[in-house]
Amino acid sequence: MNLKRRQFLLLTSLGAITTGLGWILTRQNTQSADLTEADTAIAANPLKKDLLLRFVSVADTGTGAKGQYAVARAMTLYHQKNPYDLVVLAGDNIYNNGEIEKIGEVFERPYQDLLKQGVKFQACLGNHDIRTANGDLEVKYPGFNMKGRYYTFSRGNVQFFALDTNGNADWKNQLAWLEKELSLSKASWKVVFGHHPIYASGAYGSNPDFIKTFSPLFQKYGVQLYINGHEHHYERTRSINGTTYLICGAGAGNRPVGKNEWTEYSTSNLSFAAYEVYADRIELSGIGTDNRVFDKGIIKLKSA
């Protein structure tokens, strides 16, 4: 495809979103799915009749640097074509030390287009966030919509559980709270998010203590999805005892990533994740700063 042809497609896509044209871009190699060129383009999809909820997740964002802005632009374009009003923000919201005075440059300006359109960010605390006042100022910041260091909220039949996974967390009370809330939940879909990984193939790797702590709880109470950051890459696991583990920590910077036997897809590319929730499944997409879908996965309501 010559330069003039690419420019024409780009201008047509930006100027005529209502026509439903997506960017037809060069196919990206994947590890887990043979995505066609049409699959990788972000199509214009209005809210579908059977769609219960659409949301996105991103983590390790708060640098205020060009990488964060690149991911934010991709999130905004996706919103234009696939409306959503919820972002799960999985920690390290303010680098390097959780200084709340930086909130304008690392949150409000990068995401201003989404915030102006009423998109709600639900945050949890990362290890960088607790370096100032133990993260208390972030917990109180209205834009992060935190009801505490750990909390729950619902969107229809989807219930979210936000955790403080830091080493100084109130683990005794938090774990008792989590089990109680999970046991009381009537939601069809249960999504837990925290900053630190449980299963990961990056610089830090999997956390054996977290596997022992959380995996039995997730299996017992039917948690279908755990979302986290800390590792600066994207990684989706297969269903492990009914739970898919999704890392979306390449929201501003990235690091190399490998893969394990339970890895369905991994990449170090700057990116975010998008989710479409239906009655019987969640359709999950990994989306890069080139506005292409590089990974697609299905989370079933109940799986082995």
Side-chain angles (χ1 to χ4, degrees), residues 27-37 39-40 234 236 259 263-266 284-286 293-298:
R27 184 181 182 276
Q28 179 178 0
N29 291 329
T30 68
Q31 298 168 340
S32 64
D34 186 19
L35 301 179
T36 67
E37 191 172 51
D39 287 330
T40 65
Y234 172 98
R236 175 174 61 89
K259 60 180 178 178
T263 303
E264 285 287 348
Y265 191 97
S266 62
L284 186 159
S285 300
V293 176
F294 57 77
D295 177 41
K296 284 188 175 184
I298 300 291

Side-chain angles (χ1 to χ4, degrees), residues 6 105 115 134 193 217 229 285-286:
R6 288 199 300 269
E105 64 185 277
L115 292 168
N134 199 27
F193 66 97
L217 273 180
S285 300

Side-chain angles (χ1 to χ4, degrees), residues 233-289:
H233 66 256
Y234 172 98
E235 185 171 10
R236 175 174 61 89
T237 74
R238 62 171 172 79
S239 176
I240 302 174
N241 296 321
T243 305
T244 296
Y245 297 82
L246 193 286
I247 298 173
C248 55
N254 54 357
R255 286 193 292 255
V257 59
K259 60 180 178 178
N260 279 282
E261 66 277 4
W262 34 256
T263 303
E264 285 287 348
Y265 191 97
S266 62
T267 180
S268 62
N269 292 351
L270 293 173
S271 56
F272 68 98
Y275 312 79
E276 292 192 335
V277 183
Y278 299 86
D280 62 342
R281 70 195 186 282
I282 296 177
E283 297 182 1
L284 186 159
S285 300
I287 301 173
T289 55

Side-chain angles (χ1 to χ4, degrees), residues 160-204:
F160 295 84
F161 305 82
L163 301 181
D164 176 4
T165 58
N166 288 292
N168 67 348
D170 182 3
W171 282 106
K172 181 179 179 181
N173 288 324
Q174 179 174 211
L175 289 174
W177 167 87
L178 178 62
E179 180 154 22
K180 180 181 178 181
E181 292 294 332
L182 287 173
S183 70
L184 293 174
S185 177
K186 304 299 183 184
S188 300
W189 292 101
K190 300 177 182 70
V191 178
V192 178
F193 66 97
H195 180 63
H196 293 84
I198 298 177
Y199 289 91
S201 304
Y204 300 105

Side-chain angles (χ1 to χ4, degrees), residues 93-102 127-133 135-138:
N93 315 307
I94 305 176
Y95 283 105
N96 281 319
N97 301 304
E99 311 97 314
I100 198 66
E101 60 269 20
K102 290 184 176 179
N127 52 295
H128 284 269
D129 300 313
I130 64 172
R131 292 181 179 180
T132 297
D136 288 343
L137 299 178
E138 288 196 35

